[in-house]
PDB file of all heavy atoms in Angstrom:
ATOM      1  N   ALA A   1      -1.813  -0.265 -27.946  1.00  0.00           N
ATOM      2  CA  ALA A   1      -1.051   0.225 -26.792  1.00  0.00           C
ATOM      3  C   ALA A   1       0.310   0.768 -27.222  1.00  0.00           C
ATOM      4  O   ALA A   1       1.359   0.347 -26.737  1.00  0.00           O
ATOM      5  CB  ALA A   1      -0.887  -0.886 -25.767  1.00  0.00           C
ATOM      6  N   THR A   2       0.279   1.707 -28.142  1.00  0.00           N
ATOM      7  CA  THR A   2       1.495   2.368 -28.603  1.00  0.00           C
ATOM      8  C   THR A   2       1.422   3.836 -28.208  1.00  0.00           C
ATOM      9  O   THR A   2       0.398   4.488 -28.416  1.00  0.00           O
ATOM     10  CB  THR A   2       1.636   2.258 -30.137  1.00  0.00           C
ATOM     11  OG1 THR A   2       1.675   0.871 -30.495  1.00  0.00           O
ATOM     12  CG2 THR A   2       2.903   2.943 -30.612  1.00  0.00           C
ATOM     13  N   MET A   3       2.487   4.332 -27.642  1.00  0.00           N
ATOM     14  CA  MET A   3       2.493   5.714 -27.177  1.00  0.00           C
ATOM     15  C   MET A   3       2.354   6.674 -28.351  1.00  0.00           C
ATOM     16  O   MET A   3       3.069   6.580 -29.350  1.00  0.00           O
ATOM     17  CB  MET A   3       3.789   5.999 -26.411  1.00  0.00           C
ATOM     18  CG  MET A   3       3.794   7.341 -25.698  1.00  0.00           C
ATOM     19  SD  MET A   3       5.228   7.481 -24.589  1.00  0.00           S
ATOM     20  CE  MET A   3       4.959   9.145 -23.953  1.00  0.00           C
ATOM     21  N   ARG A   4       1.402   7.587 -28.244  1.00  0.00           N
ATOM     22  CA  ARG A   4       1.135   8.538 -29.308  1.00  0.00           C
ATOM     23  C   ARG A   4       2.107   9.723 -29.243  1.00  0.00           C
ATOM     24  O   ARG A   4       2.584  10.072 -28.160  1.00  0.00           O
ATOM     25  CB  ARG A   4      -0.308   9.035 -29.194  1.00  0.00           C
ATOM     26  CG  ARG A   4      -1.330   7.907 -29.329  1.00  0.00           C
ATOM     27  CD  ARG A   4      -2.702   8.327 -28.842  1.00  0.00           C
ATOM     28  NE  ARG A   4      -3.660   7.226 -28.916  1.00  0.00           N
ATOM     29  CZ  ARG A   4      -4.882   7.250 -28.368  1.00  0.00           C
ATOM     30  NH1 ARG A   4      -5.270   8.319 -27.688  1.00  0.00           N
ATOM     31  NH2 ARG A   4      -5.688   6.208 -28.477  1.00  0.00           N
ATOM     32  N   PRO A   5       2.378  10.359 -30.376  1.00  0.00           N
ATOM     33  CA  PRO A   5       3.329  11.483 -30.406  1.00  0.00           C
ATOM     34  C   PRO A   5       2.942  12.625 -29.476  1.00  0.00           C
ATOM     35  O   PRO A   5       3.804  13.325 -28.948  1.00  0.00           O
ATOM     36  CB  PRO A   5       3.319  11.927 -31.874  1.00  0.00           C
ATOM     37  CG  PRO A   5       2.881  10.713 -32.628  1.00  0.00           C
ATOM     38  CD  PRO A   5       1.902  10.011 -31.726  1.00  0.00           C
ATOM     39  N   THR A   6       1.628  12.827 -29.293  1.00  0.00           N
ATOM     40  CA  THR A   6       1.163  13.941 -28.472  1.00  0.00           C
ATOM     41  C   THR A   6       0.884  13.531 -27.030  1.00  0.00           C
ATOM     42  O   THR A   6       0.331  14.314 -26.258  1.00  0.00           O
ATOM     43  CB  THR A   6      -0.136  14.520 -29.078  1.00  0.00           C
ATOM     44  OG1 THR A   6      -1.130  13.472 -29.153  1.00  0.00           O
ATOM     45  CG2 THR A   6       0.113  15.070 -30.465  1.00  0.00           C
ATOM     46  N   GLU A   7       1.285  12.324 -26.661  1.00  0.00           N
ATOM     47  CA  GLU A   7       0.936  11.757 -25.355  1.00  0.00           C
ATOM     48  C   GLU A   7       2.132  11.800 -24.406  1.00  0.00           C
ATOM     49  O   GLU A   7       3.254  11.491 -24.789  1.00  0.00           O
ATOM     50  CB  GLU A   7       0.488  10.304 -25.564  1.00  0.00           C
ATOM     51  CG  GLU A   7      -0.317   9.704 -24.436  1.00  0.00           C
ATOM     52  CD  GLU A   7      -0.934   8.386 -24.863  1.00  0.00           C
ATOM     53  OE1 GLU A   7      -0.311   7.651 -25.651  1.00  0.00           O
ATOM     54  OE2 GLU A   7      -2.052   8.090 -24.414  1.00  0.00           O
ATOM     55  N   SER A   8       1.878  12.192 -23.175  1.00  0.00           N
ATOM     56  CA  SER A   8       2.933  12.171 -22.168  1.00  0.00           C
ATOM     57  C   SER A   8       3.049  10.763 -21.585  1.00  0.00           C
ATOM     58  O   SER A   8       2.162   9.922 -21.776  1.00  0.00           O
ATOM     59  CB  SER A   8       2.610  13.152 -21.038  1.00  0.00           C
ATOM     60  OG  SER A   8       1.460  12.718 -20.322  1.00  0.00           O
ATOM     61  N   GLN A   9       4.134  10.525 -20.862  1.00  0.00           N
ATOM     62  CA  GLN A   9       4.337   9.207 -20.257  1.00  0.00           C
ATOM     63  C   GLN A   9       3.237   8.885 -19.261  1.00  0.00           C
ATOM     64  O   GLN A   9       2.701   7.773 -19.232  1.00  0.00           O
ATOM     65  CB  GLN A   9       5.704   9.165 -19.551  1.00  0.00           C
ATOM     66  CG  GLN A   9       6.125   7.776 -19.077  1.00  0.00           C
ATOM     67  CD  GLN A   9       6.525   6.861 -20.217  1.00  0.00           C
ATOM     68  OE1 GLN A   9       7.033   7.334 -21.220  1.00  0.00           O
ATOM     69  NE2 GLN A   9       6.284   5.573 -20.078  1.00  0.00           N
ATOM     70  N   SER A  10       2.865   9.873 -18.451  1.00  0.00           N
ATOM     71  CA  SER A  10       1.809   9.635 -17.468  1.00  0.00           C
ATOM     72  C   SER A  10       0.462   9.426 -18.154  1.00  0.00           C
ATOM     73  O   SER A  10      -0.349   8.598 -17.729  1.00  0.00           O
ATOM     74  CB  SER A  10       1.726  10.801 -16.481  1.00  0.00           C
ATOM     75  OG  SER A  10       1.447  12.019 -17.157  1.00  0.00           O
ATOM     76  N   GLY A  11       0.207  10.175 -19.234  1.00  0.00           N
ATOM     77  CA  GLY A  11      -1.037   9.999 -19.971  1.00  0.00           C
ATOM     78  C   GLY A  11      -1.106   8.632 -20.623  1.00  0.00           C
ATOM     79  O   GLY A  11      -2.177   8.000 -20.682  1.00  0.00           O
ATOM     80  N   PHE A  12       0.027   8.164 -21.111  1.00  0.00           N
ATOM     81  CA  PHE A  12       0.116   6.826 -21.704  1.00  0.00           C
ATOM     82  C   PHE A  12      -0.233   5.760 -20.672  1.00  0.00           C
ATOM     83  O   PHE A  12      -0.986   4.823 -20.941  1.00  0.00           O
ATOM     84  CB  PHE A  12       1.535   6.626 -22.249  1.00  0.00           C
ATOM     85  CG  PHE A  12       1.779   5.310 -22.924  1.00  0.00           C
ATOM     86  CD1 PHE A  12       0.842   4.768 -23.810  1.00  0.00           C
ATOM     87  CD2 PHE A  12       2.947   4.604 -22.683  1.00  0.00           C
ATOM     88  CE1 PHE A  12       1.077   3.556 -24.446  1.00  0.00           C
ATOM     89  CE2 PHE A  12       3.194   3.390 -23.318  1.00  0.00           C
ATOM     90  CZ  PHE A  12       2.248   2.859 -24.193  1.00  0.00           C
ATOM     91  N   ARG A  13       0.317   5.907 -19.463  1.00  0.00           N
ATOM     92  CA  ARG A  13       0.022   4.946 -18.405  1.00  0.00           C
ATOM     93  C   ARG A  13      -1.457   4.959 -18.039  1.00  0.00           C
ATOM     94  O   ARG A  13      -2.067   3.910 -17.829  1.00  0.00           O
ATOM     95  CB  ARG A  13       0.876   5.244 -17.171  1.00  0.00           C
ATOM     96  CG  ARG A  13       2.329   4.838 -17.303  1.00  0.00           C
ATOM     97  CD  ARG A  13       3.012   4.854 -15.945  1.00  0.00           C
ATOM     98  NE  ARG A  13       3.026   6.187 -15.359  1.00  0.00           N
ATOM     99  CZ  ARG A  13       3.993   7.074 -15.553  1.00  0.00           C
ATOM    100  NH1 ARG A  13       5.019   6.772 -16.327  1.00  0.00           N
ATOM    101  NH2 ARG A  13       3.943   8.251 -14.983  1.00  0.00           N
ATOM    102  N   ARG A  14      -2.034   6.164 -17.953  1.00  0.00           N
ATOM    103  CA  ARG A  14      -3.456   6.261 -17.596  1.00  0.00           C
ATOM    104  C   ARG A  14      -4.340   5.615 -18.653  1.00  0.00           C
ATOM    105  O   ARG A  14      -5.361   5.011 -18.341  1.00  0.00           O
ATOM    106  CB  ARG A  14      -3.841   7.727 -17.388  1.00  0.00           C
ATOM    107  CG  ARG A  14      -3.317   8.341 -16.105  1.00  0.00           C
ATOM    108  CD  ARG A  14      -4.025   9.654 -15.802  1.00  0.00           C
ATOM    109  NE  ARG A  14      -3.776  10.663 -16.827  1.00  0.00           N
ATOM    110  CZ  ARG A  14      -2.773  11.513 -16.789  1.00  0.00           C
ATOM    111  NH1 ARG A  14      -1.905  11.470 -15.790  1.00  0.00           N
ATOM    112  NH2 ARG A  14      -2.609  12.416 -17.737  1.00  0.00           N
ATOM    113  N   ARG A  15      -3.957   5.758 -19.922  1.00  0.00           N
ATOM    114  CA  ARG A  15      -4.769   5.174 -20.992  1.00  0.00           C
ATOM    115  C   ARG A  15      -4.722   3.653 -20.972  1.00  0.00           C
ATOM    116  O   ARG A  15      -5.717   2.981 -21.247  1.00  0.00           O
ATOM    117  CB  ARG A  15      -4.279   5.711 -22.351  1.00  0.00           C
ATOM    118  CG  ARG A  15      -5.095   5.215 -23.543  1.00  0.00           C
ATOM    119  CD  ARG A  15      -4.831   6.061 -24.773  1.00  0.00           C
ATOM    120  NE  ARG A  15      -3.450   5.986 -25.215  1.00  0.00           N
ATOM    121  CZ  ARG A  15      -2.970   5.045 -26.023  1.00  0.00           C
ATOM    122  NH1 ARG A  15      -3.762   4.070 -26.443  1.00  0.00           N
ATOM    123  NH2 ARG A  15      -1.704   5.069 -26.418  1.00  0.00           N
ATOM    124  N   LEU A  16      -3.555   3.095 -20.627  1.00  0.00           N
ATOM    125  CA  LEU A  16      -3.425   1.641 -20.646  1.00  0.00           C
ATOM    126  C   LEU A  16      -3.926   0.965 -19.378  1.00  0.00           C
ATOM    127  O   LEU A  16      -4.241  -0.226 -19.388  1.00  0.00           O
ATOM    128  CB  LEU A  16      -1.955   1.257 -20.864  1.00  0.00           C
ATOM    129  CG  LEU A  16      -1.568   0.944 -22.319  1.00  0.00           C
ATOM    130  CD1 LEU A  16      -1.809   2.154 -23.217  1.00  0.00           C
ATOM    131  CD2 LEU A  16      -0.114   0.509 -22.398  1.00  0.00           C
ATOM    132  N   SER A  17      -4.001   1.710 -18.295  1.00  0.00           N
ATOM    133  CA  SER A  17      -4.410   1.120 -17.021  1.00  0.00           C
ATOM    134  C   SER A  17      -5.785   0.443 -17.081  1.00  0.00           C
ATOM    135  O   SER A  17      -5.936  -0.697 -16.637  1.00  0.00           O
ATOM    136  CB  SER A  17      -4.383   2.180 -15.921  1.00  0.00           C
ATOM    137  OG  SER A  17      -4.786   1.632 -14.689  1.00  0.00           O
ATOM    138  N   PRO A  18      -6.829   1.093 -17.654  1.00  0.00           N
ATOM    139  CA  PRO A  18      -8.140   0.421 -17.728  1.00  0.00           C
ATOM    140  C   PRO A  18      -8.093  -0.853 -18.571  1.00  0.00           C
ATOM    141  O   PRO A  18      -8.771  -1.836 -18.253  1.00  0.00           O
ATOM    142  CB  PRO A  18      -9.043   1.486 -18.373  1.00  0.00           C
ATOM    143  CG  PRO A  18      -8.381   2.786 -18.082  1.00  0.00           C
ATOM    144  CD  PRO A  18      -6.908   2.490 -18.134  1.00  0.00           C
ATOM    145  N   LEU A  19      -7.292  -0.831 -19.637  1.00  0.00           N
ATOM    146  CA  LEU A  19      -7.187  -2.010 -20.495  1.00  0.00           C
ATOM    147  C   LEU A  19      -6.539  -3.171 -19.741  1.00  0.00           C
ATOM    148  O   LEU A  19      -6.966  -4.325 -19.868  1.00  0.00           O
ATOM    149  CB  LEU A  19      -6.369  -1.675 -21.740  1.00  0.00           C
ATOM    150  CG  LEU A  19      -6.233  -2.792 -22.789  1.00  0.00           C
ATOM    151  CD1 LEU A  19      -7.606  -3.206 -23.309  1.00  0.00           C
ATOM    152  CD2 LEU A  19      -5.346  -2.334 -23.934  1.00  0.00           C
ATOM    153  N   ARG A  20      -5.528  -2.854 -18.951  1.00  0.00           N
ATOM    154  CA  ARG A  20      -4.880  -3.881 -18.141  1.00  0.00           C
ATOM    155  C   ARG A  20      -5.860  -4.472 -17.127  1.00  0.00           C
ATOM    156  O   ARG A  20      -5.938  -5.690 -16.951  1.00  0.00           O
ATOM    157  CB  ARG A  20      -3.662  -3.281 -17.434  1.00  0.00           C
ATOM    158  CG  ARG A  20      -3.025  -4.190 -16.388  1.00  0.00           C
ATOM    159  CD  ARG A  20      -1.734  -3.566 -15.854  1.00  0.00           C
ATOM    160  NE  ARG A  20      -1.352  -4.126 -14.565  1.00  0.00           N
ATOM    161  CZ  ARG A  20      -0.816  -5.336 -14.414  1.00  0.00           C
ATOM    162  NH1 ARG A  20      -0.592  -6.100 -15.460  1.00  0.00           N
ATOM    163  NH2 ARG A  20      -0.486  -5.765 -13.218  1.00  0.00           N
ATOM    164  N   GLU A  21      -6.628  -3.601 -16.473  1.00  0.00           N
ATOM    165  CA  GLU A  21      -7.590  -4.074 -15.478  1.00  0.00           C
ATOM    166  C   GLU A  21      -8.708  -4.877 -16.135  1.00  0.00           C
ATOM    167  O   GLU A  21      -9.210  -5.847 -15.557  1.00  0.00           O
ATOM    168  CB  GLU A  21      -8.168  -2.880 -14.708  1.00  0.00           C
ATOM    169  CG  GLU A  21      -7.147  -2.131 -13.864  1.00  0.00           C
ATOM    170  CD  GLU A  21      -6.423  -3.046 -12.889  1.00  0.00           C
ATOM    171  OE1 GLU A  21      -7.098  -3.842 -12.205  1.00  0.00           O
ATOM    172  OE2 GLU A  21      -5.182  -2.983 -12.832  1.00  0.00           O
ATOM    173  N   PHE A  22      -9.099  -4.482 -17.350  1.00  0.00           N
ATOM    174  CA  PHE A  22     -10.150  -5.220 -18.054  1.00  0.00           C
ATOM    175  C   PHE A  22      -9.672  -6.634 -18.398  1.00  0.00           C
ATOM    176  O   PHE A  22     -10.422  -7.610 -18.280  1.00  0.00           O
ATOM    177  CB  PHE A  22     -10.552  -4.472 -19.327  1.00  0.00           C
ATOM    178  CG  PHE A  22     -11.682  -5.136 -20.090  1.00  0.00           C
ATOM    179  CD1 PHE A  22     -12.925  -5.310 -19.508  1.00  0.00           C
ATOM    180  CD2 PHE A  22     -11.482  -5.592 -21.388  1.00  0.00           C
ATOM    181  CE1 PHE A  22     -13.957  -5.916 -20.200  1.00  0.00           C
ATOM    182  CE2 PHE A  22     -12.512  -6.207 -22.091  1.00  0.00           C
ATOM    183  CZ  PHE A  22     -13.749  -6.369 -21.492  1.00  0.00           C
ATOM    184  N   GLY A  23      -8.418  -6.737 -18.813  1.00  0.00           N
ATOM    185  CA  GLY A  23      -7.867  -8.057 -19.102  1.00  0.00           C
ATOM    186  C   GLY A  23      -7.840  -8.933 -17.871  1.00  0.00           C
ATOM    187  O   GLY A  23      -8.151 -10.139 -17.933  1.00  0.00           O
ATOM    188  N   LYS A  24      -7.490  -8.362 -16.724  1.00  0.00           N
ATOM    189  CA  LYS A  24      -7.479  -9.112 -15.466  1.00  0.00           C
ATOM    190  C   LYS A  24      -8.897  -9.545 -15.081  1.00  0.00           C
ATOM    191  O   LYS A  24      -9.102 -10.652 -14.567  1.00  0.00           O
ATOM    192  CB  LYS A  24      -6.858  -8.245 -14.366  1.00  0.00           C
ATOM    193  CG  LYS A  24      -5.365  -8.002 -14.558  1.00  0.00           C
ATOM    194  CD  LYS A  24      -4.834  -6.861 -13.716  1.00  0.00           C
ATOM    195  CE  LYS A  24      -4.964  -7.133 -12.229  1.00  0.00           C
ATOM    196  NZ  LYS A  24      -4.343  -6.020 -11.442  1.00  0.00           N
ATOM    197  N   TYR A  25      -9.868  -8.673 -15.360  1.00  0.00           N
ATOM    198  CA  TYR A  25     -11.261  -8.996 -15.051  1.00  0.00           C
ATOM    199  C   TYR A  25     -11.753 -10.162 -15.902  1.00  0.00           C
ATOM    200  O   TYR A  25     -12.399 -11.095 -15.404  1.00  0.00           O
ATOM    201  CB  TYR A  25     -12.140  -7.763 -15.283  1.00  0.00           C
ATOM    202  CG  TYR A  25     -13.621  -8.071 -15.321  1.00  0.00           C
ATOM    203  CD1 TYR A  25     -14.319  -8.356 -14.150  1.00  0.00           C
ATOM    204  CD2 TYR A  25     -14.318  -8.077 -16.538  1.00  0.00           C
ATOM    205  CE1 TYR A  25     -15.677  -8.647 -14.185  1.00  0.00           C
ATOM    206  CE2 TYR A  25     -15.665  -8.372 -16.585  1.00  0.00           C
ATOM    207  CZ  TYR A  25     -16.343  -8.655 -15.404  1.00  0.00           C
ATOM    208  OH  TYR A  25     -17.677  -8.953 -15.444  1.00  0.00           O
ATOM    209  N   LEU A  26     -11.436 -10.130 -17.202  1.00  0.00           N
ATOM    210  CA  LEU A  26     -11.865 -11.216 -18.086  1.00  0.00           C
ATOM    211  C   LEU A  26     -11.289 -12.555 -17.627  1.00  0.00           C
ATOM    212  O   LEU A  26     -11.993 -13.577 -17.610  1.00  0.00           O
ATOM    213  CB  LEU A  26     -11.445 -10.919 -19.523  1.00  0.00           C
ATOM    214  CG  LEU A  26     -12.153  -9.743 -20.219  1.00  0.00           C
ATOM    215  CD1 LEU A  26     -11.587  -9.541 -21.615  1.00  0.00           C
ATOM    216  CD2 LEU A  26     -13.663  -9.993 -20.300  1.00  0.00           C
ATOM    217  N   ASN A  27     -10.033 -12.549 -17.251  1.00  0.00           N
ATOM    218  CA  ASN A  27      -9.424 -13.779 -16.760  1.00  0.00           C
ATOM    219  C   ASN A  27     -10.099 -14.259 -15.475  1.00  0.00           C
ATOM    220  O   ASN A  27     -10.277 -15.456 -15.251  1.00  0.00           O
ATOM    221  CB  ASN A  27      -7.924 -13.572 -16.499  1.00  0.00           C
ATOM    222  CG  ASN A  27      -7.111 -13.583 -17.781  1.00  0.00           C
ATOM    223  OD1 ASN A  27      -7.471 -14.260 -18.740  1.00  0.00           O
ATOM    224  ND2 ASN A  27      -6.021 -12.827 -17.807  1.00  0.00           N
ATOM    225  N   ALA A  28     -10.503 -13.300 -14.643  1.00  0.00           N
ATOM    226  CA  ALA A  28     -11.124 -13.647 -13.367  1.00  0.00           C
ATOM    227  C   ALA A  28     -12.485 -14.315 -13.544  1.00  0.00           C
ATOM    228  O   ALA A  28     -12.896 -15.139 -12.717  1.00  0.00           O
ATOM    229  CB  ALA A  28     -11.260 -12.392 -12.498  1.00  0.00           C
ATOM    230  N   ILE A  29     -13.189 -13.979 -14.636  1.00  0.00           N
ATOM    231  CA  ILE A  29     -14.514 -14.582 -14.852  1.00  0.00           C
ATOM    232  C   ILE A  29     -14.451 -15.758 -15.824  1.00  0.00           C
ATOM    233  O   ILE A  29     -15.475 -16.233 -16.306  1.00  0.00           O
ATOM    234  CB  ILE A  29     -15.518 -13.526 -15.367  1.00  0.00           C
ATOM    235  CG1 ILE A  29     -15.087 -12.961 -16.727  1.00  0.00           C
ATOM    236  CG2 ILE A  29     -15.696 -12.420 -14.350  1.00  0.00           C
ATOM    237  CD1 ILE A  29     -16.120 -11.999 -17.337  1.00  0.00           C
ATOM    238  N   GLY A  30     -13.229 -16.200 -16.097  1.00  0.00           N
ATOM    239  CA  GLY A  30     -13.075 -17.411 -16.888  1.00  0.00           C
ATOM    240  C   GLY A  30     -12.880 -17.220 -18.368  1.00  0.00           C
ATOM    241  O   GLY A  30     -12.886 -18.193 -19.129  1.00  0.00           O
ATOM    242  N   ILE A  31     -12.710 -15.985 -18.822  1.00  0.00           N
ATOM    243  CA  ILE A  31     -12.484 -15.717 -20.242  1.00  0.00           C
ATOM    244  C   ILE A  31     -10.994 -15.470 -20.453  1.00  0.00           C
ATOM    245  O   ILE A  31     -10.426 -14.522 -19.917  1.00  0.00           O
ATOM    246  CB  ILE A  31     -13.289 -14.502 -20.726  1.00  0.00           C
ATOM    247  CG1 ILE A  31     -14.787 -14.732 -20.499  1.00  0.00           C
ATOM    248  CG2 ILE A  31     -13.004 -14.219 -22.198  1.00  0.00           C
ATOM    249  CD1 ILE A  31     -15.652 -13.546 -20.861  1.00  0.00           C
TER     250      ILE A  31
END
């Protein structure tokens, strides 16, 4: 989750959003 040189701020947020939601999902199912 490090911002790439060719990545915009909004693109960075979009890339990390699924990862954040996946982490929340894992916690929700007990992992």
Side-chain angles (χ1 to χ4, degrees):
T2 301
M3 189 170 179
R4 299 164 183 169
T6 58
E7 199 169 34
S8 66
Q9 189 72 31
S10 60
F12 182 43
R13 285 194 298 270
R14 287 195 297 270
R15 183 164 63 86
L16 264 60
S17 179
L19 183 60
R20 171 174 160 75
E21 295 305 313
F22 183 61
K24 291 164 63 176
Y25 166 75
L26 292 178
N27 282 329
I29 62 175
I31 301 176

